[in-house]
Amino acid sequence: METYLVFKVLNNNVIIALNDEKEEVILIGKGIGFNKKKNDLIKEDTVEKLFVLRNKLEQENYLKLLPNLSESTLGAIITATEMIKRKSNVLLKEKVHVALTDHILFAITRLNRGMGIKNPFLTETKVLYPFEYEIAAEVVDHINHSLDIYLPESEIGFIALHVHSAITDTSLSELNTYSNLLSQLVNTIEEQLDVKMDREGIDYFRIVRHIRYTIERVLKGEKSEEPMKLAALLKNEYPVCYNLSWKLIKIIQQTLKKPVYDAEAVYLTMHLQRLLLKKDS
């Protein structure tokens, strides 16, 4: 069991301490600094809700944010992080504390200045990451109630990406790449098939979820067996959708810079043909 020696109390929620190896760490927790003074000992198991920043760069970035945070804002963000940890049941990476704190602080600052930011991938995020979106909705609700503000729904989408990043250890830049890719693929489908999908409808939900799992398989290098007879049938019977599926696969390959196995064209063709049938019916 690790113990920490208090080096400096920054506020009620943040302490600079020394660990057992005499290395500086930052302890973050609701009320962790209350009534603490230099050289006090803190045992890890005595603090139920404790986050430890060990990485030097993350420590520096976090300390830069603190002067801009009121006690109430910081407390609300710490509780929000605890919610993510509890609901996801995942040991969160250190960087999430800095990234989430930075994002929420920026969102509150924009709100106070009357500056709204549109989230172009809100619907995609809701469909792609429903579990993370649900957690993010509770986080935003908590912050709004705690600080008596109103962060809009667009922020749920942004925070959902932070939640997904924290749970999967995927960078936000990668997630943005996948969101852009998804949007490009959907636009290509609508343009080529001359359809307009209802962003709240089941057809959009199905195609987006399928593309998500296609992207995940490509990133993991997972190979699906290609049903040869079905591939030949689809190519002959549904040439428009079959050719479009290969166009989509080339976009995925160029964006992710990874090979896409032929079987993906078969599954994509079936989804596209279902869309086309609905349009013509």
Side-chain angles (χ1 to χ4, degrees), residues 118-134 153-158 160-161 178-180 182-183 186-187 190 196-209 212:
K118 192 176 184 296
N119 187 337
F121 302 120
L122 181 63
T123 306
E124 286 86 350
T125 301
K126 193 184 296 187
V127 174
L128 285 172
Y129 312 116
F131 175 64
E132 292 88 338
Y133 193 90
E134 185 181 320
E153 188 182 13
S154 60
E155 285 301 329
I156 299 176
F158 290 130
L161 292 180
Y178 306 151
S179 294
N180 275 305
L182 178 67
S183 181
V186 169
N187 289 338
E190 290 185 324
K196 185 67 181 173
M197 285 181 273
D198 175 9
R199 293 304 190 260
E200 302 294 330
I202 189 67
D203 293 326
Y204 179 78
F205 177 83
R206 281 175 177 158
I207 199 76
V208 166
R209 293 303 290 274
R212 173 196 171 174

Side-chain angles (χ1 to χ4, degrees), residues 74-270:
L74 181 57
I77 293 172
I78 290 171
T79 301
T81 312
E82 289 166 355
M83 289 168 65
I84 296 169
K85 181 180 177 183
R86 185 178 68 254
K87 289 181 176 295
S88 65
N89 200 26
V90 170
L91 183 63
L92 304 180
K93 301 294 181 180
E94 286 190 21
K95 62 186 178 184
V96 70
H97 305 293
V98 181
L100 195 63
T101 302
D102 187 32
H103 177 83
I104 293 174
L105 174 62
F106 185 46
I108 292 170
T109 302
R110 286 199 318 267
L111 184 70
N112 290 337
R113 292 177 180 172
M115 298 163 54
I117 289 189
K118 192 176 184 296
N119 187 337
F121 302 120
L122 181 63
T123 306
E124 286 86 350
T125 301
K126 193 184 296 187
V127 174
L128 285 172
Y129 312 116
F131 175 64
E132 292 88 338
Y133 193 90
E134 185 181 320
I135 294 174
E138 293 188 35
V139 164
V140 169
D141 185 60
H142 162 71
I143 290 169
N144 284 344
H145 278 91
S146 299
L147 303 179
D148 195 24
I149 59 175
Y150 179 72
L151 293 177
E153 188 182 13
S154 60
E155 285 301 329
I156 299 176
F158 290 130
I159 291 174
L161 292 180
H162 279 279
V163 174
H164 185 71
S165 173
I167 292 173
T168 62
D169 198 25
T170 307
S171 72
L172 286 174
S173 61
E174 286 178 275
L175 292 180
N176 285 329
T177 297
Y178 306 151
S179 294
N180 275 305
L181 172 58
L182 178 67
S183 181
Q184 184 183 357
L185 294 171
V186 169
N187 289 338
T188 302
I189 291 168
E190 290 185 324
E191 182 183 308
Q192 295 291 310
L193 297 184
D194 191 26
V195 297
K196 185 67 181 173
M197 285 181 273
D198 175 9
R199 293 304 190 260
E200 302 294 330
I202 189 67
D203 293 326
Y204 179 78
F205 177 83
R206 281 175 177 158
I207 199 76
V208 166
R209 293 303 290 274
H210 178 75
I211 291 172
R212 173 196 171 174
Y213 293 126
T214 299
I215 291 171
E216 288 181 356
R217 285 192 294 272
V218 171
L219 291 171
K220 292 175 184 174
E222 292 179 0
K223 185 175 182 179
S224 301
E225 288 301 316
E226 183 185 13
M228 299 299 293
K229 288 183 179 178
L230 182 56
L233 175 67
L234 293 174
K235 185 176 182 180
N236 289 325
E237 293 290 323
Y238 311 122
V240 172
C241 291
Y242 188 79
N243 290 333
L244 175 55
S245 73
W246 275 106
K247 184 171 186 175
L248 300 174
I249 282 172
K250 285 176 183 173
I251 293 172
I252 294 171
Q253 285 177 326
Q254 289 166 356
T255 303
L256 301 181
K257 296 179 172 51
K258 287 180 178 286
V260 181
Y261 293 107
D262 292 357
E264 298 297 349
V266 173
Y267 305 126
L268 261 174
T269 300
M270 290 190 287

Side-chain angles (χ1 to χ4, degrees), residues 11-23:
N11 57 43
N12 278 336
N13 302 301
V14 184
I15 290 174
I16 296 178
L18 302 176
N19 63 12
D20 291 338
E21 285 76 44
K22 304 303 179 188
E23 298 167 324

